[in-house]
Amino acid sequence: MICPKLIEKRKIEKLSEVPQGGSAPAGTLVEKNAGWRNKRPVLSEEKCIGCFQCYLYCPDGVIRKADKKISIDYDFCKGCGICQKICPVSAIRMEDE
Ligand code: SF4
Ligand code: SF4
């Protein structure tokens, strides 16, 4: 859920002003959803080439740039697996919770 105060701050008045797509801007999620995730993405730092495709495609904005690699905020990751699918070098695997 996106923080209502953020929406208020942006003064969104019409639906057409809402950005298209399901992505939430990083840092705007307020409800942790890790409780209902059944798989989690795990990064292999040795394989990661730092292309940041996962960062760009994560629909919840929970992948952060960390130096030349990435970090995943497990509090808000919903386990959709898009990051695993998009990674060109298979540096992310999905593991059972
Ligand atoms: S599993 Fe989905 S929500 Fe979690 S980091 Fe990957 S793309 Fe983002
Ligand atoms: S898509 Fe794969 S290689 Fe690229 S930053 Fe993410 S984990 Fe690393």
Side-chain angles (χ1 to χ4, degrees):
M1 178 186 170
I2 297 176
C3 177
K5 283 185 181 171
L6 188 76
I7 294 173
E8 190 179 322
K9 192 174 159 192
R10 290 185 174 177
K11 296 193 169 86
I12 294 171
E13 293 175 359
K14 293 182 283 184
L15 190 59
S16 59
E17 293 176 279
V18 178
Q20 290 188 348
S23 297
T28 60
L29 297 171
V30 295
E31 287 182 5
K32 293 182 181 180
N33 56 17
W36 49 264
R37 184 182 61 224
N38 59 10
K39 286 185 182 289
R40 69 163 56 197
V42 177
L43 175 72
S44 168
E45 292 207 8
E46 300 77 43
K47 288 184 181 177
C48 177
I49 57 173
C51 68
F52 298 122
Q53 289 298 304
C54 56
Y55 164 83
L56 292 171
Y57 279 87
C58 173
D60 288 343
V62 300
I63 295 180
R64 311 249 158 78
K65 291 181 180 179
D67 294 326
K68 293 180 180 174
K69 301 289 170 69
I70 54 118
S71 68
I72 300 167
D73 186 341
Y74 288 117
D75 280 347
F76 299 104
C77 166
K78 63 188 175 190
C80 67
I82 289 173
C83 53
Q84 180 209 26
K85 296 283 184 195
I86 204 72
C87 180
V89 294
S90 301
I92 295 176
R93 65 183 184 281
M94 299 301 289
E95 287 189 354
D96 290 342
E97 288 285 354

